[in-house]
Amino acid sequence: MMRIDCVVRGANRLGESPVWSVREQRLYWVDSRAPAVFRLDPATGVVEDLSLPSIVGSIGLRRGGGLVAALQTGLHLLDFDSRRLDFVADPEAHLPENRFNDGRCDRRGRFWSGTMNDARREPTGSLYRLDPDFTVARIRDDVIVPNSICWSPDDTVMYFADTYREQMMAYTFHPDTGELSGLRPFADDRQGPGRPDGSTVDAEGFLWNAKFGGGRVVRYDPKGRVDRILDLPVSQPSSCVFGGPDLRTLYVTSATQRLDDAQLAAQPLAGGLFAADVGVAGLPEPEFAG
């Protein structure tokens, strides 16, 4: 059995979007519903937090320091230390029920994030790309709950999942232009427990996906075949990322939302941050170049 540690017993309502800063040797993640951003120093165990003014779906590192943050009120730049939040753009100001959800930076310094209807599960969401010059491009629509945004090590594949459609997809990715083509199924495990939430890709090109409601993280090979299953002591893992000095620690966020009293009693670590050495290294987290 692989050892899985709960390194922060945070009881996040909706822990999400973990990102590891190689420069700082710290882990950032969010509680979307708090809403807040957290920062962990694994060397000391110290956790800092920063409250935000609206629901936060995802964050990304920024090359110049700080973070890019996707809130319900739009895309922002965030300096965790000074607590400064600078507005960039809100492409869905006309859709008050929508909010940003999963997001990640590509290796050319763009930040990608998708939106979802937070009031009802209707396909009113879209996928957006924020370029380093702060222009925003709408890439696709007809999204219910966007998740699993990440890239293959060679930058030829971009992964994407619409959680409530319960299928993980792959695009052909064109890194020079940031364009997508050739949408195709990647992995369809609707017979398994849980739905696809956040993902990360390791140095071997295998994708790790958190199964929300399924109590597990699944590792897929580049052809979409299940390679390994990491069972967790909580039912709602939400996302994952590799971190640590050698990028060999898999960090997994989780959630307590919609769990009743009996479920919470049975899962005292729900909403916590977990860590495991899974025997493979990850890749450095890309940073926003704007």
Side-chain angles (χ1 to χ4, degrees):
M1 294 292 292
M2 188 175 299
R3 176 175 172 176
I4 303 169
D5 295 317
C6 183
V7 292
V8 178
R9 297 184 62 154
N12 291 160
R13 282 188 63 195
L14 184 54
E16 275 286 5
S17 192
V19 289
W20 175 261
S21 170
V22 172
R23 184 190 310 117
E24 298 180 34
Q25 291 293 293
R26 292 176 179 175
L27 182 81
Y28 290 87
W29 78 99
V30 307
D31 182 344
S32 295
R33 299 291 183 188
V37 180
F38 297 88
R39 181 169 66 185
L40 167 69
D41 182 350
T44 63
V46 172
V47 178
E48 303 166 273
D49 65 275
L50 171 60
S51 295
L52 295 175
S54 69
I55 294 172
V56 54
S58 52
I59 53 174
L61 302 172
R62 192 178 175 205
R63 287 181 191 171
L67 305 167
V68 55
L71 279 64
Q72 184 160 21
T73 51
L75 300 166
H76 296 73
L77 301 178
L78 174 63
D79 187 306
F80 189 93
D81 292 313
S82 70
R83 301 180 175 259
R84 178 172 175 173
L85 185 69
D86 292 319
F87 176 79
V88 175
D90 186 359
E92 295 195 348
H94 60 294
L95 297 172
E97 290 186 342
N98 276 18
R99 70 169 178 87
F100 276 96
N101 197 53
D102 190 49
R104 203 178 218 107
C105 295
D106 68 27
R107 296 184 185 92
R108 298 301 177 91
R110 313 173 187 99
F111 180 69
W112 299 69
S113 188
T115 58
M116 58 175 280
N117 191 312
D118 204 41
R120 54 188 62 85
R121 294 297 176 253
E122 295 180 353
T124 63
S126 296
L127 176 66
Y128 293 91
R129 188 190 70 222
L130 175 64
D131 290 341
D133 64 359
F134 300 111
T135 59
V136 179
R138 188 186 190 198
I139 305 301
R140 62 162 289 173
D141 57 10
D142 191 39
V143 174
I144 303 174
V145 178
N147 267 307
S148 195
I149 297 171
C150 55
W151 287 264
S152 62
D154 64 2
D155 281 337
T156 62
V157 179
M158 177 176 165
Y159 299 100
F160 179 81
D162 194 330
T163 295
Y164 274 75
R165 291 189 168 113
E166 299 187 62
Q167 189 173 39
M168 300 173 67
M169 309 298 290
Y171 285 98
T172 297
F173 183 65
H174 305 275
D176 290 339
T177 62
E179 295 178 348
L180 307 178
S181 65
L183 179 65
R184 59 198 180 275
F186 172 67
D188 187 347
D189 57 351
R190 280 176 281 189
Q191 303 306 312
R195 291 177 168 140
D197 207 319
S199 294
T200 193
V201 172
D202 64 31
E204 297 177 359
F206 287 56
L207 182 144
W208 297 75
N209 177 251
K211 300 298 181 184
F212 197 90
R216 56 178 52 183
V217 176
V218 178
R219 187 191 195 220
Y220 297 91
D221 73 13
K223 294 186 180 297
R225 298 171 298 204
V226 175
D227 170 77
R228 193 188 314 174
I229 294 174
L230 177 66
D231 290 312
L232 296 167
V234 295
S235 63
Q236 296 184 153
S238 51
S239 192
C240 52
V241 74
F242 283 91
D246 52 5
L247 296 177
R248 296 184 71 87
T249 300
L250 184 71
Y251 286 100
V252 183
T253 53
S254 68
T256 61
Q257 70 173 12
R258 302 192 187 94
L259 297 179
D260 60 29
D261 290 343
Q263 291 171 316
L264 289 170
Q267 301 176 46
L269 300 179
L273 174 72
F274 297 86
D277 184 340
V278 293
V280 64
L283 295 163
E285 193 71 14
E287 299 175 328
F288 179 58

